[in-house]
Amino acid sequence: MKDNESNSKGFNFKSVFPIMVSLVLTLIMLFGVYFIVIFKPSEKDNETVVKNVISSDIVSTIPEETALRFIKANGTMGNMTTDITQDKMKTGEAISENSARRLLALHKVNEAIIPGSPLISSYEESNIKTFTRDLVSPYIYTIDNIKISEPDNLREIVIYAETGPIEYEALDVYASFDSTRINYTRARDTSYDGTHIQLNNTENFSNVKVVLAKSGDLWFIYDIEDSEYIINERFATWSGIGASSVDYSKNIESGTFKIEGIIPIDEGPDNYGLEDELDEPSE
């Protein structure tokens, strides 16, 4: 009898268990409320983003305009008038500036990309240096015939940047455009007389999905879907993860450029020693 009375006065786990379960469930619910209500993506960084890119001439209050300007800047590397000149072709500066042309475009568009965008990684600049290091011809890239659709799929998205998750208003537009890669080929034997043949390689892109995010009153680029693999080297934001996919069968001879004062080796010793152009990858 005493043992029974003693047990009845001791700790009864079965009676306490429901209370413990209730406490645990309550704590879980409190954490849930915290993350849903209190720990929500920040919206205060919108003005900070605007201040960081206030000098950009790409971003606009009109999303279609931002998309058009961005594609134009991202796919324009170099200028035929200023980069393909007698002096620059003679000295080889036109070739050595391949890297600078890409970097200039990259730095320009980088100001119009929202922080946390998958469009930019840490590989773009190193890839540019690697890609242009062994080029033996000047390369110019141009963008033409850009068409942007009406905005679609207005929504809220959360972007994870270094400052944490931030919520933005976002939408999609679809772009169509032509990208032309221009380079020069030359004779690979002693008949070289300074003549370079201009090769134009044009690719047509259609319905390329562009995602924009709104910060303050301005629309920034968040992503260009699959551009790394579909557009690759034709954009300055190419990081080298997607292999170059230029279709060399689309090369079209569109003109010539002749360096003055070059005498073929078989007619005299005065040759500037420019390396042979190897446009297609060697097997």
Side-chain angles (χ1 to χ4, degrees):
M1 185 68 178
K2 291 182 178 180
D3 291 339
N4 291 336
E5 290 178 357
S6 175
N7 289 338
S8 64
K9 294 178 180 179
F11 178 76
N12 191 329
F13 180 78
K14 290 183 178 179
S15 63
V16 177
F17 179 74
I19 298 175
M20 295 176 63
V21 172
S22 297
L23 287 172
V24 171
L25 291 176
T26 301
L27 288 172
I28 292 174
M29 291 176 64
L30 288 173
F31 276 113
V33 170
Y34 171 78
F35 280 102
I36 293 173
V37 178
I38 301 175
F39 187 72
K40 63 180 180 179
S42 171
E43 297 178 358
K44 62 182 175 57
D45 288 330
N46 282 342
E47 291 186 4
T48 303
V49 174
V50 172
K51 289 177 182 177
N52 288 341
V53 294
I54 198 68
S55 62
S56 174
D57 58 358
I58 296 176
V59 295
S60 169
T61 56
I62 304 171
E64 303 98 301
E65 190 66 30
T66 294
L68 187 149
R69 293 174 183 173
F70 185 87
I71 289 172
K72 184 73 173 179
N74 204 1
T76 300
M77 289 166 272
N79 181 289
M80 296 291 295
T81 302
T82 58
D83 293 334
I84 309 302
T85 65
Q86 283 291 321
D87 287 341
K88 289 189 175 184
M89 290 292 278
K90 282 181 180 180
T91 62
E93 186 179 358
I95 299 172
S96 64
E97 287 184 345
N98 279 321
S99 177
R101 286 191 283 270
R102 297 189 74 91
L103 285 170
L104 183 63
L106 176 64
H107 293 161
K108 183 176 182 179
V109 299
N110 191 47
E111 294 182 334
I113 298 174
I114 209 82
S117 164
L119 195 60
I120 286 287
S121 65
S122 59
Y123 301 107
E124 285 79 21
E125 291 197 11
S126 61
N127 175 62
I128 286 173
K129 294 175 184 177
T130 301
F131 176 65
T132 59
R133 182 174 53 207
D134 298 323
L135 296 180
V136 293
S137 169
Y139 284 76
I140 307 292
Y141 295 80
T142 64
I143 293 285
D144 299 289
N145 304 320
I146 307 175
K147 297 179 181 178
I148 307 294
S149 73
E150 292 290 328
D152 185 32
N153 193 22
L154 183 64
R155 62 197 184 278
E156 299 292 328
I157 64 171
V158 176
I159 300 176
Y160 292 85
E162 292 182 359
T163 56
I166 305 175
E167 190 173 71
Y168 295 95
E169 186 177 356
L171 53 74
D172 305 329
V173 297
Y174 292 85
S176 299
F177 54 91
D178 299 333
S179 168
T180 300
R181 187 189 79 155
I182 304 166
N183 72 301
Y184 296 82
T185 187
R186 44 155 286 185
R188 300 180 60 189
D189 54 29
T190 57
S191 66
Y192 173 64
D193 63 355
T195 299
H196 295 249
I197 298 174
Q198 179 180 324
L199 297 176
N200 284 20
N201 187 297
T202 301
E203 193 73 49
N204 312 111
F205 298 94
S206 60
N207 294 319
V208 176
K209 183 178 178 180
V210 182
V211 183
L212 298 100
K214 190 177 184 181
S215 179
D217 295 326
L218 300 173
W219 287 94
F220 295 80
I221 298 296
Y222 172 62
D223 194 17
I224 298 182
E225 196 170 86
D226 294 328
S227 66
E228 179 68 23
Y229 303 95
I230 297 174
I231 305 171
N232 54 67
E233 75 165 73
R234 294 176 184 270
F235 271 178
T237 49
W238 177 53
S239 67
I241 297 174
S244 175
S245 57
V246 174
D247 183 354
Y248 292 98
S249 67
K250 293 184 177 182
N251 279 353
I252 297 175
E253 295 186 11
S254 56
T256 59
F257 184 95
K258 184 174 174 56
I259 300 176
E260 299 171 356
I262 297 291
I263 301 174
I265 292 177
D266 53 11
E267 295 182 16
D270 186 13
N271 186 284
Y272 284 90
L274 298 179
E275 295 179 75
D276 294 339
E277 163 64 15
L278 300 175
D279 182 50
E280 299 190 33
S282 58
E283 298 180 357

